């Protein structure tokens, strides 16, 4: 195998990282539900251990894409945070300007009140003097009336000015209130964007590596076998590219076949087989005894019926180009390097046999 071939899966992982996570979810759903091969039998309940294995492997195979998507989200959030922070600064500046205008309007209003009150008092005094003028000669009345008229004009002038100042004060108060509300809203938005950034950063930090997740799947693989075998029915299986496998391994197997193809390695496999077929194979492969002879005693190693992982669809016998794999097959070499990424382990005595436990 060339180095170019060896690095193709890594290159494909980077390609996957540029896809939306939703695409991966759709593919997973198709594989798990059997939609890759049309109609499927009614789905049975999958044991918890199998669900756990499937979850670990799905996350392992999509974590790079998930991390990429989260980093893209984080970049957008950080840009939004900067935008909102700038908007907050502008809102604070507008609030400060509005408060200065309010202070000026308040000062003008306060300054306008004493002259208005003085003019009002002066008018009252002028009217009082007109009423009390003595002697009530024409000249005295004219002077008193002129004083009243002048006082009325001054009062009107100062009342008009005070009215304008009061109107300006009302407008300034409204503007200040609006600016304060806008600044508070901007501050709330900045807080929310900052919280979103922190939440995404924590999600990124919490992501495990593909190797860590695959290792966790491997750690429960024997529990998967133990829990699946007693309750297994064919309703637990689905077809992936013509291979019948357990639903819990369908997505991982499909990804392995797809990624191998991208590396130039075409693989197919035989998956599920019935116990009766296992018995037939024991006879065909010349096992000394159907039920007791070890697999290694057969011409072609064949597990004792009831012990084969093929009987619960958790193993595949891989072929490439229509031939079973050997230790020198390009497909075997590729699987040896990468199959663990998909949760599959080789049985050393059989280059073609891959399962979730290596058994």
């Amino acid at each position: 195998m060339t180095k170019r071939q060896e690095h193709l899966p890594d290159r494909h992982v980077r390609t996957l990282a540029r896809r939306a996570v939703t695409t991966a979810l759709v593919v997973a759903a198709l594989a798990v539900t059997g939609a890759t091969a049309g109609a499927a039998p009614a789905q049975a309940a999958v044991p918890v251990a199998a669900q756990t294995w499937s979850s670990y492997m799905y996350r392992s195979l999509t974590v790079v894409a998930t991390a990429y998507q989260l980093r893209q989200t984080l970049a957008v959030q950080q840009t939004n945070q900067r935008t909102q922070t700038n908007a907050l600064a502008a809102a604070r500046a507008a609030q400060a300007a509005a408060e200065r205008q309010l202070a000026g309007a308040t000062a003008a209003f306060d300054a306008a009140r004493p002259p208005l009150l003085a003019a009002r008092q002066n008018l009252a005094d002028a009217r009082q003097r007109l009423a009390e003028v003595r002697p009530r000669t024409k000249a005295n009345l004219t002077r008193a009336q002129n004083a009243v008229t002048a006082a009325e004009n001054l009062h009107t002038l100062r009342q008009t000015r005070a009215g304008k100042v009061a109107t300006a004060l009302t407008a300034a108060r409204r503007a200040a209130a609006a600016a304060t509300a806008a600044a508070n809203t901007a501050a709330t938005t900045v807080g929310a964007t900052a919280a979103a950034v922190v939440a995404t950063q924590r999600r990124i930090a919490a992501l495990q590596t593909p190797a860590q997740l695959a290792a966790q799947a491997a750690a429960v693989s024997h529990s998967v076998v133990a829990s699946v075998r007693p309750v297994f029915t064919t309703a637990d299986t689905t077809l992936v590219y013509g291979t019948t496998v357990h639903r819990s391994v369908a997505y991982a197997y499909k990804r392995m076949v797809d990624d191998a193809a991208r590396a130039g390695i075409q693989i197919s496999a035989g998956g599920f087989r019935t116990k009766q077929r296992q018995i037939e194979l024991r006879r065909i492969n010349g096992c000394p005894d159907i039920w007791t002879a070890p697999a290694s005693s057969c011409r072609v190693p064949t597990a004792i019926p009831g012990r084969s992982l093929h009987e619960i669809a958790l193993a595949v016998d891989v072929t490439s180009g229509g031939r079973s794999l050997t230790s020198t097959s390009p497909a075997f070499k590729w699987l040896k390097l990468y199959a663990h990424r998909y949760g599959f382990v080789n049985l050393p005595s059989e280059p073609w046999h891959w399962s979730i436990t290596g058994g």
Side-chain angles (χ1 to χ4, degrees):
M1 181 183 302
T2 66
K3 289 186 177 180
R4 174 180 175 82
Q5 288 174 320
E6 291 177 4
H7 290 293
L8 276 172
D10 295 321
R11 186 178 305 163
H12 175 53
V13 167
R14 291 193 296 272
T15 300
L16 280 178
R18 290 190 289 269
R19 299 177 184 170
V21 173
T22 50
T23 301
L25 288 168
V26 170
V27 173
L30 290 175
V32 172
T33 59
T36 54
Q43 186 171 358
V46 177
V48 172
Q51 294 179 38
T52 301
W53 187 95
S54 184
S55 174
Y56 280 138
M57 286 312 307
Y58 177 77
R59 288 161 56 199
S60 172
L61 293 168
T62 59
V63 67
V64 173
T66 299
Y68 175 82
Q69 188 70 18
L70 285 174
R71 285 193 293 270
Q72 293 291 96
T73 298
L74 179 61
V76 172
Q77 289 174 332
Q78 288 173 328
T79 298
N80 186 40
Q81 183 182 24
R82 288 190 292 271
T83 299
Q84 296 304 328
T85 299
N86 292 337
L88 174 59
R92 291 295 191 205
Q95 181 186 23
E99 288 174 348
R100 287 193 297 272
Q101 289 181 338
L102 176 59
T106 301
F109 179 79
D110 291 341
R113 283 182 61 80
L116 174 60
L117 294 175
R120 187 174 297 163
Q121 184 61 48
N122 183 51
L123 176 58
D125 292 344
R127 286 172 175 168
Q128 183 65 30
R129 286 193 295 271
L130 175 60
E132 296 176 352
V133 66
R134 294 290 185 276
R136 298 186 70 81
T137 63
K138 183 176 180 180
N140 288 342
L141 289 172
T142 298
R143 281 194 298 273
Q145 184 60 55
N146 289 341
V148 169
T149 300
E152 287 175 341
N153 290 338
L154 179 61
H155 179 264
T156 299
L157 177 65
R158 290 183 176 173
Q159 190 173 45
T160 300
R161 175 172 174 73
K164 291 180 179 179
V165 170
T167 300
L169 177 59
T170 299
R173 284 173 175 165
R174 289 174 179 169
T180 298
N184 290 340
T185 298
T188 299
T189 302
V190 167
T193 56
V197 166
V198 171
T200 301
Q201 288 172 330
R202 287 175 177 169
R203 288 182 65 191
I204 292 172
L207 289 175
Q208 294 177 286
T209 66
Q212 288 172 327
L213 290 163
Q216 291 176 74
V220 300
S221 60
H222 288 280
S223 296
V224 174
V225 173
S227 62
V228 166
R229 193 180 293 281
V231 297
F232 175 80
T233 71
T234 55
D236 299 329
T237 65
T238 187
L239 275 174
V240 179
Y241 297 138
T243 301
T244 301
V245 294
H246 197 277
R247 291 179 182 276
S248 61
V249 304
Y251 178 70
Y253 175 71
K254 182 180 185 300
R255 279 290 304 274
M256 184 170 72
V257 175
D258 288 343
D259 291 352
R262 290 184 180 91
I265 303 295
Q266 301 299 321
I267 61 175
S268 56
F272 168 71
R273 69 173 72 115
T274 64
K275 187 174 183 178
Q276 183 58 42
R277 179 56 180 164
Q278 191 70 17
I279 293 171
E280 292 172 0
L281 287 175
R282 291 276 288 183
R283 291 195 181 101
I284 293 170
N285 293 333
C287 303
D289 180 82
I290 298 296
W291 300 103
T292 61
S296 59
S297 67
C298 307
R299 287 195 303 271
V300 177
T302 309
I304 293 172
R307 298 183 186 178
S308 173
L309 294 187
H310 285 287
E311 294 175 43
I312 54 175
L314 292 176
V316 290
D317 284 345
V318 180
T319 62
S320 183
R323 297 182 179 181
S324 292
L325 301 191
T326 67
S327 59
T328 60
S329 301
F332 175 79
K333 293 178 180 179
W334 188 91
L335 289 169
K336 194 72 173 175
L337 286 172
Y338 301 116
H340 66 279
R341 295 184 180 181
Y342 310 92
F344 286 89
V345 183
N346 179 237
L347 179 63
S349 61
E350 302 176 25
W352 58 87
H353 183 87
W354 298 80
S355 70
I356 66 170
T357 63

